[in-house]
Amino acid sequence: MTDSELIVDLRGRLIETLNDFWDAVAEPCGLPEWFGRNLNAWSDTIETRGISEVIDSHEVLIVHVDQRGLFEGSRQEAQVLADTFDGEQNRLVVHALA
């Protein structure tokens, strides 16, 4: 592991569903084809590590998204996804639209 940040900037990309989120993070996070595309698999990937060599090679993962679609309002799916990020080693940053 290096002392670096993996920054995945999804601003400008409309993410309406969790499937859209998995599609958006798959390549930049180096998720394997067999990745489970569910919240448990994501939690294992970012917290336990050992699933993605890309994520594992960075000290910190930061994902930036716009406050629209899935991340607009108080959708339960978005809150559960946000809760998988610990806020330190793994951060989800939701940006308000101007």
Side-chain angles (χ1 to χ4, degrees), residues 2-43:
T2 64
D3 187 24
S4 63
E5 296 178 342
L6 172 59
I7 298 174
V8 178
D9 193 343
L10 304 177
R11 289 177 286 184
R13 182 169 181 161
L14 182 57
I15 299 172
E16 293 280 355
T17 65
L18 283 175
N19 278 332
D20 293 341
F21 181 79
W22 308 136
D23 290 344
V25 297
E27 184 177 339
C29 289
L31 299 178
E33 293 213 8
W34 50 265
F35 174 73
R37 294 177 64 94
N38 62 64
L39 293 168
N40 289 333
W42 180 248
S43 180

Side-chain angles (χ1 to χ4, degrees), residues 8-16 63-73 78 92-98:
V8 178
D9 193 343
L10 304 177
R11 289 177 286 184
R13 182 169 181 161
L14 182 57
I15 299 172
E16 293 280 355
V63 178
H64 295 272
V65 296
D66 288 326
Q67 187 176 12
R68 63 181 180 151
L70 179 64
F71 301 101
E72 185 174 20
L92 177 66
V93 181
V94 180
H95 296 269
L97 296 173

Side-chain angles (χ1 to χ4, degrees), residues 1 5 7 18 22 24 28 34 37 48-49 56 58 60 71 73 77 81 84-85 88-89:
M1 189 179 308
E5 296 178 342
I7 298 174
L18 283 175
W22 308 136
W34 50 265
R37 294 177 64 94
T48 308
R49 308 282 175 126
D56 294 354
H58 294 84
V60 175
F71 301 101
E77 291 177 295
L81 173 62
T84 64
F85 291 82
E88 294 178 22
Q89 182 181 18

